[in-house]
Amino acid sequence: MVKIRLKKFGTKKRPDYRIVVQDSRKPRDGVTIEEIGQYHPIAVEANQVCFDEERAKYWLSVGAQPTDMVKKLFNIKGLSAAGKSLAK
């Protein structure tokens, strides 16, 4: 199954994540299919999340499953699937 999830970068106590499309069987920091955005949890709240909405919508339309954290990030930016919110 293909998932949209976070890939960790950065240093100790200064995390930085990339939002990636990846096979669920691969390790977290392994080979990705596509990188579609970034998440900076330490940055100012308005600048924490940025991603390519068109690519995210494409991957959701072909069946990629976002993780819980990625669903929250998508909801922060107002992205929804089929007109519904992605939150549980």
Side-chain angles (χ1 to χ4, degrees):
M1 175 189 295
V2 176
K3 290 205 170 239
I4 303 174
R5 61 189 192 184
L6 297 176
K7 183 176 184 178
K8 188 174 183 181
F9 285 88
T11 61
K12 186 177 180 181
K13 297 189 180 184
R14 297 222 19 107
D16 186 30
Y17 300 92
R18 292 186 188 160
I19 302 170
V20 298
V21 178
Q22 190 174 31
D23 187 339
S24 64
R25 296 170 291 186
K26 299 287 184 185
R28 176 191 70 189
D29 295 335
V31 178
T32 63
I33 298 170
E34 183 178 1
E35 293 181 4
I36 60 172
Q38 297 178 354
Y39 170 54
H40 307 285
I42 297 176
V44 178
E45 195 166 325
N47 298 330
Q48 285 183 346
V49 181
C50 64
F51 60 90
D52 185 355
E53 288 188 34
E54 292 301 317
R55 294 306 294 167
K57 287 178 184 178
Y58 167 76
W59 282 107
L60 290 170
S61 71
V62 296
Q65 296 294 315
T67 59
D68 291 337
M69 186 63 196
V70 173
K71 283 181 191 177
K72 289 178 187 177
L73 297 176
F74 284 172
N75 282 331
I76 288 171
K77 289 295 185 176
L79 179 68
S80 62
K84 296 181 181 178
S85 176
L86 291 173
K88 285 185 174 181

